[in-house]
Amino acid sequence: MYDRIKGFRDFYPGEMAARRATIDGLEDAAREYGFREIGTPALERAAMWTDKSGDDIVDELYSFEDQSGRHVAMTPELTPTVARMVVAKQQELSKPIKWFSTRPFWRYEQVQQGRYREFYQTNVDIFGSSAPEADAEILAWAADALTGLGLTGEHFEFRISHRDILGGVVESYEADVDTEAAIRAVDKSDKLSQAEYHDLLIDAGLTADQAAEFDDLIASGDLDEVKAFADTERVTAAVENLQNVLAAAEDFGAREYCTISLETARGLDYYTGVVFECFDSAGEVSRSIFGGGRYDDLIEQFGGQPTPAVGVAPGHATLSLLLQRAGVWPAEEVTTDYYVLQIGDTRAEASRIVRDLRERGHVVETDVAGRSFGAQLDYADSINAETVVIVGEQDLANDEVTIKDMASGDQIQVPVDEFPGNRERPTYDDLA
Amino acid sequence: MYDRIKGFRDFYPGEMAARRATIDGLEDAAREYGFREIGTPALERAAMWTDKSGDDIVDELYSFEDQSGRHVAMTPELTPTVARMVVAKQQELSKPIKWFSTRPFWRYEQVQQGRYREFYQTNVDIFGSSAPEADAEILAWAADALTGLGLTGEHFEFRISHRDILGGVVESYEADVDTEAAIRAVDKSDKLSQAEYHDLLIDAGLTADQAAEFDDLIASGDLDEVKAFADTERVTAAVENLQNVLAAAEDFGAREYCTISLETARGLDYYTGVVFECFDSAGEVSRSIFGGGRYDDLIEQFGGQPTPAVGVAPGHATLSLLLQRAGVWPAEEVTTDYYVLQIGDTRAEASRIVRDLRERGHVVETDVAGRSFGAQLDYADSINAETVVIVGEQDLANDEVTIKDMASGDQIQVPVDEFPGNRERPTYDDLA
């Protein structure tokens, strides 16, 4: 009768189980790093985005006027919200502030593989440290989270760069160049022909010769050459910062996943230092899996004390494509430890067993629909029950229940008083 | 610079830790019952709600037109969405369908204690069983979830009724009575004076004498008296169904939390059978904590095969009020197993220890801001670190690190090669 809205998804239990295992992997790693979970609103003032200009996000906003005339937007990203939260409690929060959260965001975009209008991210950020260790910790968390999900260095790489290298090289030209436009051109370069790319650089203020030279220099990724070419304090400092971040990443165990790639620019204008994107090493997932970087100016722009910041936000849709490509996407199925099957009027005793097993933390289902033996067994099979406990009137007359292993079909009768008894997780194998 | 929208909340790490522990408690219990997690969209067609009439929800909808002219709404509740999902895959889903999910919903309401415009619920539903065991399993899950959070029968009670008792008694009058209006009057009765309540019943079609008689009968809660008064098959069946649900709840361990309360009606018109609300037994939280019940007609109204359904949806805001009132709200603070403190150029060795401890699953922070000994120790204190591992240049020259217990201040030096060694979670006490 009602249809789902395009670009929005329903997750049924099988797929949700795989997503939950993935989210747990990301979040468990974040907790081990001492990132602290926060909770954030779905709506913010639309001005948070519309006050900016030249950003694709504005055109993609789900925004509207609420009942009291506020112009509000369903949040298309988390960063402005966490910046607002840092500013609101800047004095009382001990630094560095290390936060994470997992939730949906919304953008009215063209729907395609790995891109939806409602999409989920796990955002991880550090506020209050400009040290290279903070950038490296973000990289290390991302690497640990991905390897924890079963990926290896054969599956992914972090392409890493620094905003001041690109910006500094652009500014080292005598010409009057629009630096942000040039960076956006670099960011889009892998989706453009060389001619189109050079045209964008020329639009930004470079000559045709300079555009070709700039392209060659950036594509080389040679930090020493870049430093020598620009020969400015800004570029020298940026190269050193990038090298320091990589040295810290070495200590943190993440260096092996990092490749210097000066073409990695990140589209969003608020980035200020190291930026990086995660890619499928084999290129089968052609788009960036996710990205992150340093954004030292945002808190001040939001009215706060100057506060350096660095963060990353894996999107679950592209990440799931990579996990599937690598063959480590979790099974899309539900699991069940016990199904307690009732035959005849055995509800009281069956319920006692169910409660005992659930108290031990197991996943336990029983009949709540008054169904036949066969229907219950089919249902137990459909939920992948490992063990079925058959509580029948005749068995109970002998003070017994039957324990059935669903994989092998083997079964055994045991005294009802001894099930589960003092065992934590009794199966057929324990009892046979 | 930007302010938060009224009725929407930011959750900083301390409060979020308490909320997460609460959500985990609800969800762990749901998983043990074999409820399966689903994921659902934040936006649906607004018609899902606006097609109905006479419902407060419609006035409270955050609805708008999206970029392609769809009239959409931020979902104010989950039930219509899960009904849509059941209908969409009705053939392939094995029954009973047992689903849960935790997420925010949105209603433009007056903001007050325990009521926000963005509010969180854990929805738990069973589809495909009309048996009283299904109703009882919902009650039992709710009871187990609440006792798992530290509440007891002294703190909460489930006031339970049946829609067909109220409806059947109303219909047993000769008069032309608007049954739904009468049920809504009962639902509101505890917020009204007796005169106002009777006026609403008279508006619904009862005479003044009938209204007074009806009020007395319902307030008595005496099932036998109600059955005799109405003397209709509908009321007799409803009373028996309610008694059967309570008998199943007895087997499931939840009967002790249930009180028969025929004034409990639930405002939403889609309920069809047993309905219940959870209240603070001491009455300190004056409003209903949450409610639920049976809604057997909804799936068919959504275009599906007739499918009985029963569910409940604890709202976290009112639940947290009850947990606070009962003194079992979790501590609003973060916890940290280890802080690894660096003095001098010890990053490589400190990082090795950090990684070893994180591999064991512990929450471990270290310096990512290049700070002094004192600043690091203050920070370790602010994150409630249990143990501080001091990695200093001088200690390392002797191949030692210092293990400091933050509660007592005691510390001890141990060989760096033996930390953490083969211990899972070494503390000062293990090493002293």
Side-chain angles (χ1 to χ4, degrees), chain A residues 20 37 95 129 368 371, chain B residues 20 37 95 129 368 371:
Chain A
R20 178 55 59 199
E37 187 177 12
K95 317 277 180 317
S129 171
V368 293
R371 296 204 296 186
Chain B
R20 177 56 59 199
E37 188 177 12
K95 318 276 181 315
S129 171
V368 292
R371 296 204 295 187

Side-chain angles (χ1 to χ4, degrees), chain B residues 268-340:
Chain B
L268 293 169
D269 287 340
Y270 56 62
Y271 285 108
T272 57
V274 162
V275 289
F276 68 96
E277 298 200 60
C278 175
F279 278 89
D280 179 348
S281 303
E284 288 186 37
V285 182
S286 58
R287 293 168 39 211
S288 161
I289 309 297
F290 59 83
R294 183 166 280 284
Y295 52 101
D296 285 348
D297 296 341
L298 193 68
I299 300 294
E300 195 173 2
Q301 285 166 16
F302 271 60
Q305 298 293 317
T307 304
V310 57
V312 61
H316 300 178
T318 46
L319 178 57
S320 75
L321 293 179
L322 177 61
L323 293 169
Q324 286 165 26
R325 196 281 289 171
V328 295
W329 179 242
E332 292 192 353
E333 60 185 27
V334 302
T335 59
T336 306
D337 299 319
Y338 295 93
Y339 183 86
V340 179

Side-chain angles (χ1 to χ4, degrees), chain B residues 237-249:
Chain B
V239 167
E240 283 172 9
N241 178 250
L242 176 53
Q243 288 168 332
N244 288 338
V245 168
L246 291 171

Side-chain angles (χ1 to χ4, degrees), chain B residues 328-404:
Chain B
V328 295
W329 179 242
E332 292 192 353
E333 60 185 27
V334 302
T335 59
T336 306
D337 299 319
Y338 295 93
Y339 183 86
V340 179
L341 193 154
Q342 302 175 34
I343 314 172
D345 182 15
T346 61
R347 191 179 70 196
E349 192 58 37
S351 300
R352 193 273 304 162
I353 293 171
V354 166
R355 291 166 67 186
D356 282 357
L357 291 169
R358 284 182 186 151
E359 272 172 21
R360 288 160 171 76
H362 305 314
V363 174
V364 186
E365 288 204 48
T366 189
D367 183 37
V368 292
R371 296 204 295 187
S372 69
F373 178 90
Q376 287 185 63
L377 207 58
D378 286 347
Y379 179 76
D381 193 46
S382 77
I383 58 172
N384 299 312
E386 182 183 355
T387 301
V388 170
V389 181
I390 302 169
V391 186
E393 284 186 351
Q394 291 180 349
D395 272 1
L396 276 191
N398 298 323
D399 293 323
E400 290 182 330
V401 292
T402 300
I403 309 303
K404 182 182 182 72

